[in-house]
């Protein structure tokens, strides 16, 4: 499995959020929450998980769902641990 730097993880996570939620990458910040700041509903978060699984060749467990209150930074932290 490829080892990703924190910078690579953050860049890819933000790109995926941007694609799924229809935002510009520069409008997404590490402190933004998935629901309140970005506007990701449960379907968007599920789609983000699918893209992350494909991009990083990982599998989310059913108890590892992206939470509405997660920040982008927390998602990147989670991904860093998962990888």
């Amino acid at each position: 499995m490829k080892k990703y730097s924190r910078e690579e993880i953050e860049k890819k996570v933000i790109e995926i959020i941007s694609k799924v939620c229809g935002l510009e990458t520069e409008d997404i910040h590490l402190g933004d929450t998935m629901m309140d700041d970005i506007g990701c509903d449960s379907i968007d978060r599920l789609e983000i998980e699918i893209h992350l699984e494909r991009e990083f060749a990982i599998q989310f467990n059913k108890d590892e769902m992206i939470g509405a209150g997660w920040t982008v930074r927390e998602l990147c932290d989670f991904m860093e641990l998962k990888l």
Side-chain angles (χ1 to χ4, degrees):
M1 181 184 282
K2 180 182 189 291
K3 181 69 176 154
Y4 294 90
S5 71
R6 177 62 185 221
E7 185 177 295
E8 289 173 313
I9 293 169
E10 289 177 0
K11 182 176 187 253
K12 274 294 173 198
V13 166
I14 288 172
E15 285 174 358
I16 289 169
I17 293 170
S18 168
K19 178 180 178 180
V20 170
C21 298
L23 300 171
E24 297 295 325
T25 56
E26 56 270 2
D27 294 332
I28 300 170
H29 308 284
L30 292 175
D32 290 348
T33 59
M34 298 303 288
M35 180 67 172
D36 292 337
D37 297 321
I38 298 173
C40 291
D41 62 20
S42 58
I43 302 297
D44 292 333
R45 293 191 309 274
L46 181 58
E47 192 173 339
I48 289 168
E49 288 176 14
I50 292 167
H51 283 282
L52 289 171
E53 287 178 335
R54 288 180 183 153
E55 180 65 37
F56 293 105
I58 60 159
Q59 188 75 32
F60 278 83
N61 297 324
K62 60 183 171 189
D63 60 338
E64 295 177 328
M65 302 292 290
I66 298 171
W70 283 22
T71 63
V72 175
R73 180 178 292 108
E74 289 170 327
L75 178 53
C76 291
D77 292 344
F78 173 79
M79 292 303 299
E80 193 170 30
L81 290 173
K82 191 95 170 142
L83 295 169

